[in-house]
Amino acid sequence: MTKTKITPEEALAYHLEPRPGKYDVVASTPMATQRDLSLAYSPGVAVPVQAIADNPATAYDYTVKGNMVAVISNGTAILGMGNLGALASKPVMEGKAVLFKRFADVNAIDIELDTEDPEEIIKAVSLMGPTFGGINLEDIKAPECFIIEQRLKEIMDIPVFHDDQHGTAVICAAGLINALEISGKKIENCKIVLNGAGAAGIACLELIKTMGARHDNCLMCDTKGVIWQGRTEGMNQWKSAHAANTDARTLEDAMRGADVFLGVSAKGAVTPAMVASMADNPVIFAMANPDPEITPEEAHAVRPDAIVATGRSDYANQVNNVLGFPYLFRGALDIHARAINDEMKIACAKALAKLAREDVPDEVAMAYGRKLSFGRDYIIPTPFDPRLIYVIPPAVAKAGMDTGVARRPIVDLKGYEQSLKARMDPTASILQGIHARARQAQARMIFAEGDDPRVLRAAVAYQRAGLGKALVVGREADVREKLEASGLADAVRELEIVNAANSRHLDQYKDFLYQRLQRQGFDRHDVHRLAARDRHVFSALMLQHGHGDGLVTGATRKSAHVLSLINHVFDAKASDGAVGVTAVLHKGRIVLIADTLVQEWPEPEDLATIAIRAAGVARNLGLDPRVAFVSFSTFGYPVSERATKMHEAPKVLDGRKVDFEYEGEMTVDVALNPDVMAQYPFCRLSGPANVLVVPARHSASISVKLMQEMAGATVIGPILTGVKKPIQICSTNSTVNDILNMAVMAACKMG
């Protein structure tokens, strides 16, 4: 798989724009009127204050405590970068906070404590207990992290969880359960070697021993070799607890005949010779980041029978903490847990292992561009599996209830699963899936407007994200100058810059264009001017002749004008069946609106075609299409001359025998609100519509732009569909990210 390259400029821009940092705090209740404010603050707030004073457990009912986690660090062990201090750790902790929200809908706030004194941290965190439902400790160095976590667990009545320790341990345990099943071994019989006696390593070994591994079968190694009974050099109480009765003194000694290797140490710590000396069907978890102790290629070269996992997303079997901590906390918070205990961690590991053995949904396999099925290259679920949110927390919650740490047990676990499904944000997984498919496609993407800095930045991002090759149409000197001005001078040599003035294909392009346009009033001179001087036409000709796989344009000229130019090369008119579909993403919902680009005033036959094209885009996005023909009237009332064609369009589809749900005509609230839709029991839609076919291009445009400006919806499109080759047309106010998204759509052949 192609590696992703992220530049310092991109990373800083991501954290700077559109506002500094990575999250906002927004009100979840109305705040508009004087009455709202009187309820939110004085005098209304006095009522829940008294209720909590009378019964502290009601804090979970009347405040955010029950869905709020503190992400706390002092910056002494930042992401393998070391001790850079509390302030420098803030971007990491903000990132952790947004991962909680993204994957498990847990609200999280980052808190950086400017001290290296464990007693001060223990005091500070313990005093925050009333505010939070859980504490996630992060990037605190060993051995202080052990002292801090243990003491906080003893004195606080909410879960305290050091993710660097237990997060890694849980995912490692999940992978190990499946790896041992595949290799036909039992954990109690395995010889296990751990390299790296820090926080994560010690936690991994402790959890594995809790699951049945025998003490003297587990050899822990650090930079000075094996930790054996009687060793005094470089020891502490946490290492001593894992000292084994063994003659082995070096990692090389330990690896001989080992069934399992767990690495949380450093790049290159394991040699091919060490792997070769392991037992049959060895399990190797080389989890050092960013580079593993040994790469899967190196391990498999000497031991094809090895099952290998790493911490990296560009190899199979990624040990990724995001598979654990969001869901552990989700389950713990939902039972108002006093702690996250070993039983809850093991339940999480077993649920993850079980999920990896189940059939993988098509949309997950499609997102990763390959068939995923339980086996040596798939022992751990992928982080973007949508089932995680409703499979893992119930297992964690049940274990918490069974072990007595739940303040409020969940009676209806099935109902709980359904509530978790409702928390899922389909938009994020859809976008992730599209990007993964584009990365698999490796399309050569033509960026037509190489004179625009936004387009150039998007082209660089496309290539550096490992999505494929970026072909930029423009003059080399101009491209270089604009990239330098954008702080991307080093990207010039990475991009392929195509200039019509020195293209060896120009005569071929002109011959094609003349054949196409000679009976439309264009002579040879007109054709030369179009092919050689208009970058939109030249780019379309490149695509037509297979000199690129997709085309992105429209950032510098109005879309109608760009479409008219593309029509010189492709059949992209309404009469050709071309349609523009815009995806509107808002508050966890995605709705497609069509036609937003091509069809000015479609008649019933055209509306039926638009519905078919839009349903195709929906399926490409991983949605099951439910199409509503929307109008001013609902099922014939009130009678409206303009609504008649929307009434007729479903009848046209009836005759075309399509394989998706459709209904109409109806108002937008009937289409999108299940309670309103229920007033029409004869409606053929099984749920809210996710595709809206509107009466005209102007109403489509108004709808999309109103959602964008008033509601802050994310808009992707219009996605051009019904054209022979993948062409996507941006709007003139597109951001770099918008242009990149359109390139991804083209790469996925979304049209």
Side-chain angles (χ1 to χ4, degrees), residues 60-127:
Y60 285 91
D61 298 315
Y62 301 128
T63 76
V64 297
K65 179 180 173 75
N67 195 38
M68 180 67 77
V69 167
V71 178
I72 297 176
S73 182
N74 67 348
T76 50
I78 303 174
L79 282 183
M81 298 170 76
N83 186 350
L84 300 178
L87 186 60
S89 76
K90 188 166 175 61
V92 184
M93 300 312 124
E94 284 187 10
K96 194 77 172 195
V98 296
L99 289 179
F100 268 109
K101 188 67 178 173
R102 159 67 177 84
F103 286 98
D105 196 24
V106 171
N107 293 323
I109 296 284
D110 64 295
I111 297 171
E112 292 73 34
L113 298 174
D114 195 9
T115 178
E116 293 190 22
D117 182 344
E119 292 303 320
E120 286 191 320
I121 293 173
I122 290 162
K123 182 72 170 172
V125 177
S126 65
L127 292 173

Side-chain angles (χ1 to χ4, degrees), residues 532-568:
R533 297 181 191 171
D534 190 290
R535 63 193 58 212
H536 306 286
V537 176
F538 178 77
S539 300
L541 287 162
M542 283 179 67
L543 182 64
Q544 169 63 40
H545 287 81
H547 300 140
D549 302 313
L551 168 62
V552 180
T553 185
T556 62
R557 304 293 296 272
K558 293 283 193 295
S559 57
H561 176 68
V562 172
L563 197 56
S564 69
L565 292 166
I566 285 169
N567 266 298
H568 291 321

Side-chain angles (χ1 to χ4, degrees), residues 68-72 100 111 125-126 128-129 131-137 149 152 156 158-163 329 333 340:
M68 180 67 77
V69 167
V71 178
I72 297 176
F100 268 109
I111 297 171
V125 177
S126 65
M128 293 181 212
T131 308
F132 299 101
I135 303 291
N136 184 92
L137 301 172
E149 188 196 37
L152 288 173
M156 297 186 80
I158 56 174
V160 178
F161 185 85
H162 184 209
D163 189 47
F329 272 97
L333 289 169
I340 292 174

Side-chain angles (χ1 to χ4, degrees), residues 209-290:
K209 286 179 179 178
T210 305
M211 292 170 63
R214 292 181 180 151
H215 177 82
D216 282 329
N217 282 354
C218 298
L219 302 184
M220 178 183 281
C221 303
D222 61 12
T223 52
K224 295 179 172 59
V226 174
I227 294 167
W228 47 278
Q229 285 180 7
R231 192 182 114 172
T232 56
E233 188 187 4
M235 295 295 285
N236 59 39
Q237 69 190 77
W238 297 280
K239 291 183 185 179
S240 296
H242 296 283
N245 182 13
T246 177
D247 296 330
R249 293 294 180 267
T250 66
L251 177 60
E252 190 176 8
D253 294 342
M255 289 285 274
R256 286 192 200 100
D259 297 286
V260 177
F261 169 79
L262 306 175
V264 274
S265 52
K267 174 184 179 181
V270 172
T271 64
M274 291 181 193
V275 171
S277 74
M278 293 179 75
D280 288 348
N281 292 304
V283 176
I284 300 165
F285 282 25
M287 298 176 286
N289 262 327

Side-chain angles (χ1 to χ4, degrees), residues 410-632:
I410 296 165
V411 178
D412 179 7
L413 277 170
K414 278 290 174 198
Y416 176 48
E417 276 185 39
Q418 290 304 314
S419 74
L420 290 169
K421 286 181 181 180
R423 285 184 179 273
M424 288 194 319
D425 179 355
T427 60
S429 57
I430 282 169
L431 285 175
Q432 170 64 24
I434 294 164
H435 275 256
R437 283 163 54 201
R439 190 172 288 113
Q440 191 73 20
Q442 289 297 303
R444 297 166 298 157
M445 192 56 53
I446 304 164
F447 292 84
E449 297 151 312
D451 57 341
D452 187 284
R454 293 168 301 158
V455 173
L456 291 174
R457 286 171 61 195
V460 172
Y462 179 85
Q463 190 151 308
R464 288 183 172 176
L467 296 165
K469 181 72 180 165
L471 311 176
V472 173
V473 176
R475 292 182 297 109
E476 190 161 345
D478 188 39
V479 170
R480 179 180 284 106
E481 181 186 324
K482 286 186 166 66
L483 284 172
E484 285 171 356
S486 299
L488 293 168
D490 61 329
V492 176
R493 62 181 177 273
E494 296 173 32
L495 301 175
E496 184 175 328
I497 300 163
V498 185
N499 187 347
N502 50 32
S503 169
R504 60 192 174 87
H505 301 297
L506 188 59
D507 287 341
Q508 181 187 5
Y509 293 171
K510 288 195 296 188
D511 287 345
F512 170 85
L513 201 57
Y514 184 64
Q515 286 296 319
R516 206 174 142 78
L517 302 180
Q518 62 191 358
R519 294 183 183 275
Q520 296 177 35
F522 288 82
D523 60 22
R524 287 275 188 187
H525 181 71
D526 298 326
V527 163
H528 174 78
R529 191 168 63 248
L530 276 173
R533 297 181 191 171
D534 190 290
R535 63 193 58 212
H536 306 286
V537 176
F538 178 77
S539 300
L541 287 162
M542 283 179 67
L543 182 64
Q544 169 63 40
H545 287 81
H547 300 140
D549 302 313
L551 168 62
V552 180
T553 185
T556 62
R557 304 293 296 272
K558 293 283 193 295
S559 57
H561 176 68
V562 172
L563 197 56
S564 69
L565 292 166
I566 285 169
N567 266 298
H568 291 321
V569 182
F570 289 99
D571 298 326
K573 295 188 284 293
S575 57
D576 304 312
V579 171
V581 183
T582 297
V584 178
L585 289 63
H586 184 58
K587 288 187 176 176
R589 291 180 73 173
I590 180 163
V591 174
L592 305 186
I593 298 175
D595 179 338
T596 47
L597 182 66
V598 185
Q599 311 256 358
E600 178 75 28
W601 180 254
E603 296 300 338
E605 287 284 345
D606 307 314
L607 290 164
T609 299
I610 291 169
I612 292 167
R613 299 279 190 228
V617 172
R619 284 199 166 121
N620 251 325
L621 290 170
L623 299 171
D624 191 13
R626 290 189 295 274
V627 177
F629 291 90
V630 291
S631 177
F632 167 71

